[in-house]
Amino acid sequence: MPERIETESRKLLGRLREALAADNEGQARLDEVVDLIATSMMTEVCSIYLFRDSETLELCATKGLQAEAVHQTRMRLGEGLVGRTAKSRTVINTADAPAEKGFRYMPETGEERYSSFCGVPIQRLGDAMGVLVVQSKAAREFSADEVYALEIVAMVLAEMTELGAFVGEGAALSARHQQHVMLRGSVAQEGASEGCVFLHEPRVVVTNPISDDPDVELAHLRDGVEKLRKSVDHMLLGARSADADQAEVLEAYRMFANSGSWMRRMEADVSNGLSAEAAVEKEQSLARTRLNQAGDAYLRERLHDLDDLSNRLLRILTGQGADARNDMPENPILVARNIGPGELLEYGKALKGIVLEEGSVGSHAAIVARAWAIPLIINAKGITREALNGDPILVDGDQGIAHLRPDETVHGAFRDKLAMQTRAQERYASIRDLPATTKCGTTISLQMNAGLIADLPSLEGSGAEGVGLFRTELQFLVRNKMPRRAELSALYSRVVKSANGKRVAFRTLDIGSDKVLPYMKPNDEPNPAMGWRAIRVGLDKPGVLRMQLQALLRAADGGPLAVMFPFITQLEEFRAAKAEMDKAIAREKILGHSLPSSLEVGAMLETPSLGFAPDIFFEEVDFISIGGNDLKQFFFAADRENERVRKRYDTLNVSFLSFISQVIDRCNASNTALSFCGEDAGRPVEALCFAALGLRTLSMRPASVGPVKHLLRRVDLDEVKAVMDEAIARGDQSVRRAVADWLVYQV
Ligand code: PEP
Ligand code: MG
């Protein structure tokens, strides 16, 4: 235990607490704080600069500089020593400020008379809020103790800023988390919704950064850490028997939870006057700053662990967010840094929208959101920092924009948009039972993609003719252990029954790449999307594939069955997978089980190579489904999860369409049924072009069936084809513009 000494910083914090508790306006509080610090540290100058916007710092209070400069002097992030402190998020401590690189002379403040400068960032959990500065005439560097005291004070200032202590008449600050903020991200699922923020990991609010009694606070901290250690031990015990890899991660957690230096630093901070919660947050802030700067992947992982552990400890100490699910508001809009498909599925369909700070369009969580037709915005930088649980939020999934705490004007415009959407939905509902027959008389079969039992009711509601893709891995992803054959067979049987006689194309397990089963050892592959995944796993370790095939055969219960294998890249893979099916049938026969009345065995075409397979492949396979999500990433060599490269390549690029045309021709030549089940099938313009090329079956998320059908019924495919051919002949890179321009005059 560190020896508790009545340090300067503790005395200072005591005075600070009194000043902050006084019934003052924000500016008066700030003025008093700088006065207090200058007096107690015996410096001529103490100033507080706070961010006016994300790029500009403003002098908000000073003791020692010209009073007229307050709210007048501003500098950009990185400009001058103050700007540098804010940008680097590190302390700048110098005896000769004018000689320092980047020193900026500001005549209005009269600061040329001061030689020493010490700037300490005011930050909270990696979120820069401003800079605390002390200056003196005498040329001296501030001692380590003095810097430490300033850091502690800066920590308290950050907490108080967060709590709105400096807001009010005359203050430069407006309250945080109260104004309207517009965040721009990328579209991952269209649609609009209105609701309240529901944080996946709610931020803990520290309301008492300064302790009343360090002894009590130390006991509180130790008690919290003890509970944390026990909970990690408990998790570890469970994981050891079930999952060696998860246990490995938890071992790292335990190491941090038992770290002597972590504990010592927090104890020292508490001894110096911080509350237990503030001490934890100070450490967490430090870790976040390092996390933002760390390039090394391993180090980043460990810092993430530490961040997570601090969150757990804060929740224990404050009792906040113990059971987030209970706090789900009405019309919840989920806000998270990122989320896996399993966690998302746990929240269920109650969610009205999702806004992620990171995320990617091709991820499985995005696919789940799409299946549920929940608007999803990804890459909305800053959302987890800005949003508080329960904040009103509008999600504009069409533009990729989230409005947090919207004002009345924004709200009004948004409601108009929602009303328009409702009218569109009514239009789609009116054609639900009509076929997708174009003006030229061609009928396109529109099917839906699914992956959960909960998706099946959409079959009726959307007007889809069947399930063109049933992603079986979602069932594996939501569990914490491998399902058994009997469970799977019961589940598939429910799917078949819910489909009510409509065809369901079951895709066998497609794991690997971004779909990592929590209970399977992850492979440390440099390039998982091109690694050991999908049918490759199924063929190399056939136990699960065999179990799944048997479960499917039983679920068919003497009725028809359609099964397809994911990620087939060459003839031999299809033959080997089909041989597994033949073996499964033979086994079922021996066991005396009934066999499907008809069996279709198909392959997903997700790599260019399969398009060039020998003719015999097209003859042997019963049907082919183009998995455009994967096919596109391999065709263009652009990772579907990497937003930066993914967006460069258009599905309506003529090279891609020319490849699809060839596949259509080959399927026509061998009379092989062909469908397209990637996400692009659900985009009306893309669907139109695919149909014009000759695709007759498209499988999409249920919410897309209406819009796609609506468009198809209004066009003549020969005319679309002519527009596309013209664009191709002209040498356009993509036919999108030509088709879109043409559409303006058609519909
Ligand atoms: C695809 O790749 O287009 C596809 C449908 O499969 P998934 O998105 O599940 O990889
Ligand atoms: Mg795929």
Side-chain angles (χ1 to χ4, degrees):
M1 166 186 167
E3 198 182 330
R4 186 159 65 76
I5 26 171
E6 185 81 351
T7 57
E8 277 308 308
S9 65
R10 253 198 68 197
K11 276 195 239 156
L12 175 56
L13 284 188
R15 281 183 226 127
L16 206 56
R17 184 180 42 207
E18 281 162 28
L20 292 170
D23 192 17
N24 270 339
E25 274 296 341
Q27 186 64 47
R29 277 202 177 125
L30 273 180
D31 293 342
E32 199 168 340
V33 168
V34 285
D35 202 65
L36 251 170
I37 299 171
T39 314
S40 115
M41 296 197 63
M42 291 185 285
T43 59
E44 285 99 343
V45 175
C46 174
S47 313
I48 292 176
Y49 297 81
L50 294 169
F51 276 99
R52 173 59 107 175
D53 56 49
S54 61
E55 286 294 314
T56 320
L57 285 150
E58 180 174 299
L59 176 66
C60 287
T62 186
K63 160 82 180 171
L65 298 182
Q66 305 289 347
E68 301 78 59
V70 171
H71 297 316
Q72 300 303 319
T73 294
R74 291 187 184 173
M75 69 252 338
R76 296 187 64 71
L77 186 64
E79 187 187 356
L81 296 186
V82 175
R84 255 180 64 198
T85 308
K87 188 166 186 191
S88 65
R89 314 254 177 108
T90 48
V91 174
I92 294 184
N93 182 8
T94 170
D96 187 3
E100 276 293 311
K101 184 168 154 264
F103 174 79
R104 201 195 116 198
Y105 170 60
M106 290 179 292
E108 71 274 24
T109 64
E111 74 167 352
E112 76 278 18
R113 290 178 284 134
Y114 303 103
S115 177
S116 335
F117 172 101
C118 182
V120 176
I122 301 173
Q123 56 182 332
R124 184 178 181 274
L125 302 181
D127 179 9
M129 294 167 142
V131 181
L132 171 65
V133 175
V134 287
Q135 291 170 279
S136 66
K137 280 183 191 155
R140 65 168 182 111
E141 264 196 24
F142 290 89
S143 72
D145 280 351
E146 285 171 311
V147 173
Y148 174 76
L150 285 171
E151 282 179 322
I152 294 264
V153 171
M155 166 78 206
V156 172
L157 290 177
E159 289 303 328
M160 299 313 289
T161 310
E162 174 75 14
L163 291 173
F166 306 122
V167 175
E169 276 301 298
L173 279 189
S174 36
R176 290 170 68 82
H177 306 302
Q178 283 180 23
Q179 301 126 312
H180 167 221
V181 184
M182 186 184 97
L183 296 130
R184 201 176 279 280
S186 320
V187 178
Q189 160 64 31
E190 292 84 358
S193 65
E194 176 180 354
C196 293
V197 168
F198 173 54
L199 288 170
H200 178 46
E201 285 166 332
R203 59 200 284 152
V204 173
V205 184
V206 175
T207 48
N208 61 334
I210 306 172
S211 78
D212 296 328
D213 179 342
D215 288 332
V216 173
E217 224 38 49
L218 266 180
H220 184 45
L221 175 72
R222 288 187 188 130
D223 185 47
V225 171
E226 199 43 45
K227 283 192 181 124
L228 175 76
R229 287 175 182 163
K230 283 204 177 114
S231 78
V232 173
D233 283 350
H234 185 73
M235 287 192 294
L236 193 55
L237 213 66
R240 269 204 195 115
S241 52
D243 182 329
D245 298 302
Q246 201 191 340
E248 222 170 84
V249 173
L250 287 168
E251 288 287 2
Y253 263 45
R254 192 160 77 144
M255 195 187 78
F256 282 126
N258 287 292
S259 155
S261 54
W262 185 52
M263 191 65 196
R264 271 194 300 280
R265 284 195 303 271
M266 291 193 294
E267 283 178 338
D269 290 340
V270 169
S271 298
N272 285 317
L274 285 189
S275 67
E277 291 91 331
V280 177
E281 234 182 51
K282 183 165 169 277
E283 278 299 303
Q284 197 180 10
S285 277
L286 216 69
R288 287 233 178 136
T289 307
R290 286 171 59 205
L291 187 67
N292 287 334
Q293 290 160 353
D296 178 76
Y298 179 80
L299 183 60
R300 287 182 64 83
E301 274 305 308
R302 297 290 74 82
L303 288 166
H304 263 305
D305 288 348
L306 190 57
D307 192 58
D308 196 47
L309 205 67
S310 307
N311 272 336
R312 279 171 197 269
L313 181 52
L314 278 174
R315 281 200 271 274
I316 292 173
L317 289 172
T318 60
Q320 292 172 30
D323 190 356
R325 233 146 293 219
N326 286 346
D327 303 330
M328 201 186 257
E330 235 179 88
N331 297 324
I333 307 278
L334 186 80
V335 171
R337 188 147 31 123
N338 210 342
I339 191 161
E343 292 166 306
L344 189 53
L345 288 162
E346 267 181 43
Y347 285 127
K349 277 184 168 178
L351 300 176
K352 290 282 174 283
I354 305 170
V355 186
L356 300 180
E357 180 116 19
E358 299 167 5
S360 103
V361 168
S363 75
H364 241 72
I367 285 170
V368 171
R370 241 170 268 146
W372 288 346
I374 296 175
L376 166 64
I377 298 176
I378 55 168
N379 289 331
K381 294 279 171 269
I383 183 76
T384 53
R385 205 171 54 218
E386 289 289 349
L388 291 184
N389 249 341
D391 274 350
I393 183 170
L394 309 175
V395 181
D396 182 343
D398 301 327
Q399 307 290 327
I401 291 174
H403 293 279
L404 201 56
R405 302 177 287 268
D407 53 35
E408 235 348 277
T409 330
V410 174
H411 220 140
F414 196 80
R415 289 216 171 104
D416 291 346
K417 188 180 168 113
L418 280 181
M420 254 169 62
Q421 261 186 13
T422 312
R423 282 196 293 278
Q425 287 307 328
E426 284 163 6
R427 262 203 316 274
Y428 303 145
S430 69
I431 55 167
R432 192 185 56 194
D433 299 322
L434 301 176
T437 304
T438 61
K439 266 164 70 181
C440 53
T442 311
T443 300
I444 310 293
S445 170
L446 301 186
Q447 315 233 342
M448 68 171 240
N449 295 345
L452 299 167
I453 288 279
D455 298 336
L456 270 299
S458 305
L459 196 46
E460 199 55 38
S462 66
E465 288 174 30
V467 178
L469 164 66
F470 189 90
R471 290 183 164 98
T472 58
E473 61 277 2
L474 292 195
Q475 296 296 339
F476 286 71
L477 280 164
V478 295
R479 284 157 201 259
N480 49 21
K481 63 180 197 314
M482 186 72 83
R484 289 207 298 266
R485 188 183 54 208
E487 281 176 88
L488 282 184
S489 143
L491 189 112
Y492 299 150
S493 147
R494 278 175 65 202
V495 174
V496 172
K497 288 201 177 85
S498 313
N500 213 3
K502 290 183 174 167
R503 177 180 180 270
V504 179
F506 287 96
R507 173 176 79 182
T508 61
L509 196 58
D510 180 11
I511 48 159
S513 194
D514 69 321
K515 302 166 199 167
V516 184
L517 297 186
Y519 42 88
M520 250 175 94
K521 188 172 165 48
N523 277 294
D524 194 11
E525 294 180 304
N527 209 336
M530 294 204 264
W532 198 56
R533 53 174 292 199
I535 198 64
R536 299 171 182 179
V537 181
L539 294 178
D540 292 354
K541 294 242 181 269
V544 181
L545 179 64
R546 286 176 187 159
M547 169 180 81
Q548 214 188 2
L549 292 177
Q550 236 168 7
L552 285 166
L553 288 168
R554 289 182 194 178
D557 196 24
L561 178 66
V563 176
M564 60 184 179
F565 299 111
F567 216 63
I568 298 286
T569 55
Q570 54 184 6
L571 169 65
E572 283 314 318
E573 273 166 356
F574 176 70
R575 284 188 169 157
K578 176 108 191 294
E580 288 297 340
M581 176 58 105
D582 293 340
K583 276 190 246 168
I585 291 174
R587 246 188 325 262
E588 289 300 284
K589 229 187 223 165
I590 293 169
L591 292 172
H593 291 146
S594 59
L595 295 176
S597 55
S598 67
L599 176 67
E600 293 173 80
V601 182
M604 283 192 69
L605 192 154
E606 305 188 84
T607 59
S609 68
L610 198 64
F612 301 99
D615 288 342
I616 186 88
F617 163 72
F618 290 86
E619 280 152 27
E620 286 182 18
V621 72
D622 292 329
F623 67 97
I624 292 175
S625 191
I626 299 176
N629 307 337
D630 273 312
L631 178 62
K632 241 171 83 181
Q633 80 166 333
F634 297 113
F635 193 83
F636 291 113
D639 186 347
R640 64 192 264 187
E641 293 234 31
N642 181 339
E643 287 302 304
R644 185 182 252 174
V645 297
R646 186 193 66 81
K647 284 200 283 209
R648 300 172 78 98
Y649 305 100
D650 188 3
T651 307
L652 300 184
N653 172 299
V654 295
S655 312
F656 190 64
L657 293 183
S658 146
F659 177 75
I660 302 277
S661 273
Q662 283 182 49
V663 174
I664 294 172
D665 291 346
R666 296 198 71 185
C667 285
N668 285 343
S670 57
N671 214 7
T672 308
L674 176 67
S675 64
F676 190 107
C677 67
E679 298 300 312
D680 288 319
R683 304 199 166 95
V685 178
E686 277 83 338
L688 189 66
C689 294
F690 292 159
L693 286 184
L695 268 160
R696 293 294 170 259
T697 306
L698 301 172
S699 191
M700 60 200 70
R701 57 195 172 87
S704 293
V705 175
V708 168
K709 191 191 285 184
H710 181 72
L711 184 59
L712 282 172
R713 286 174 57 85
R714 296 169 140 228
V715 295
D716 180 323
L717 290 181
D718 295 332
E719 289 179 21
V720 180
K721 182 72 172 44
V723 173
M724 291 168 73
D725 285 345
E726 217 177 280
I728 293 168
R730 213 175 24 239
D732 287 5
Q733 181 171 277
S734 161
V735 302
R736 183 175 301 279
R737 164 160 283 195
V739 174
D741 287 350
W742 175 81
L743 272 174
V744 171
Y745 299 102
Q746 306 302 311
V747 290

Short mmCIF file of all heavy atoms in Angstrom, two decimals, residues 92 99 104 118 159 196 363 401 440 449 645 692 703 717:
data_model
loop_
_atom_site.label_atom_id
_atom_site.label_comp_id
_atom_site.label_asym_id
_atom_site.label_seq_id
_atom_site.Cartn_x
_atom_site.Cartn_y
_atom_site.Cartn_z
N ILE A 92 3.60 18.91 -22.37
CA ILE A 92 4.77 19.65 -22.84
C ILE A 92 5.24 20.51 -21.68
O ILE A 92 4.49 21.33 -21.15
CB ILE A 92 4.44 20.51 -24.08
CG1 ILE A 92 4.08 19.59 -25.26
CG2 ILE A 92 5.62 21.42 -24.42
CD1 ILE A 92 3.83 20.32 -26.58
N ALA A 99 11.76 29.30 -27.16
CA ALA A 99 12.75 28.59 -27.99
C ALA A 99 12.19 27.27 -28.52
O ALA A 99 12.81 26.62 -29.34
CB ALA A 99 14.02 28.32 -27.15
N ARG A 104 4.10 29.94 -30.53
CA ARG A 104 3.40 31.00 -31.26
C ARG A 104 3.19 32.20 -30.34
O ARG A 104 2.67 32.05 -29.24
CB ARG A 104 2.06 30.48 -31.76
CG ARG A 104 1.52 31.29 -32.90
CD ARG A 104 0.05 31.00 -33.14
NE ARG A 104 -0.72 32.22 -32.89
CZ ARG A 104 -2.02 32.26 -32.67
NH1 ARG A 104 -2.72 31.15 -32.62
NH2 ARG A 104 -2.63 33.39 -32.46
N CYS A 118 4.06 24.74 -18.99
CA CYS A 118 3.70 23.33 -18.84
C CYS A 118 2.24 23.17 -19.27
O CYS A 118 1.33 23.76 -18.68
CB CYS A 118 3.90 22.87 -17.39
SG CYS A 118 3.50 21.13 -17.20
N GLU A 159 -13.71 15.42 -16.22
CA GLU A 159 -14.96 14.84 -15.71
C GLU A 159 -16.02 15.91 -15.53
O GLU A 159 -17.18 15.72 -15.86
CB GLU A 159 -14.73 14.13 -14.37
CG GLU A 159 -13.95 12.84 -14.47
CD GLU A 159 -14.59 11.83 -15.40
OE1 GLU A 159 -15.83 11.81 -15.51
OE2 GLU A 159 -13.84 11.09 -16.04
N CYS A 196 -34.59 5.86 -29.71
CA CYS A 196 -33.71 6.35 -28.65
C CYS A 196 -32.45 5.50 -28.62
O CYS A 196 -32.50 4.29 -28.87
CB CYS A 196 -34.41 6.22 -27.31
SG CYS A 196 -35.79 7.33 -27.18
N SER A 363 -20.02 -7.62 -43.55
CA SER A 363 -19.91 -8.45 -42.35
C SER A 363 -21.22 -9.20 -42.09
O SER A 363 -22.28 -8.84 -42.60
CB SER A 363 -19.59 -7.58 -41.14
OG SER A 363 -20.75 -6.89 -40.77
N ILE A 401 -26.70 8.78 -42.61
CA ILE A 401 -26.57 9.89 -41.66
C ILE A 401 -27.39 9.61 -40.40
O ILE A 401 -28.53 9.14 -40.49
CB ILE A 401 -27.07 11.21 -42.31
CG1 ILE A 401 -26.10 11.62 -43.42
CG2 ILE A 401 -27.21 12.32 -41.28
CD1 ILE A 401 -26.56 12.81 -44.22
N CYS A 440 -42.24 -6.62 -71.05
CA CYS A 440 -42.03 -7.47 -72.23
C CYS A 440 -42.53 -8.90 -71.98
O CYS A 440 -42.36 -9.79 -72.82
CB CYS A 440 -40.57 -7.47 -72.64
SG CYS A 440 -39.44 -7.88 -71.30
N ASN A 449 -33.59 -14.37 -49.04
CA ASN A 449 -32.50 -14.96 -48.26
C ASN A 449 -32.94 -15.02 -46.81
O ASN A 449 -33.62 -14.12 -46.32
CB ASN A 449 -31.24 -14.10 -48.36
CG ASN A 449 -30.70 -14.05 -49.78
OD1 ASN A 449 -31.08 -14.86 -50.62
ND2 ASN A 449 -29.82 -13.10 -50.04
N VAL A 645 -11.61 -0.10 -50.14
CA VAL A 645 -11.43 -0.66 -51.48
C VAL A 645 -12.74 -1.17 -52.07
O VAL A 645 -12.94 -1.13 -53.29
CB VAL A 645 -10.37 -1.79 -51.51
CG1 VAL A 645 -9.02 -1.25 -51.13
CG2 VAL A 645 -10.74 -2.95 -50.61
N ALA A 692 -32.03 -8.25 -67.31
CA ALA A 692 -31.82 -7.94 -68.73
C ALA A 692 -30.75 -8.83 -69.34
O ALA A 692 -30.79 -9.17 -70.52
CB ALA A 692 -31.45 -6.47 -68.88
N ALA A 703 -37.10 -7.45 -47.49
CA ALA A 703 -37.57 -6.08 -47.69
C ALA A 703 -37.31 -5.58 -49.10
O ALA A 703 -37.87 -4.57 -49.52
CB ALA A 703 -36.90 -5.16 -46.69
N LEU A 717 -37.41 -5.42 -70.62
CA LEU A 717 -36.02 -5.85 -70.46
C LEU A 717 -35.21 -5.70 -71.76
O LEU A 717 -34.00 -5.47 -71.71
CB LEU A 717 -35.96 -7.31 -69.99
CG LEU A 717 -36.43 -7.55 -68.55
CD1 LEU A 717 -36.31 -9.02 -68.19
CD2 LEU A 717 -35.65 -6.71 -67.55
#
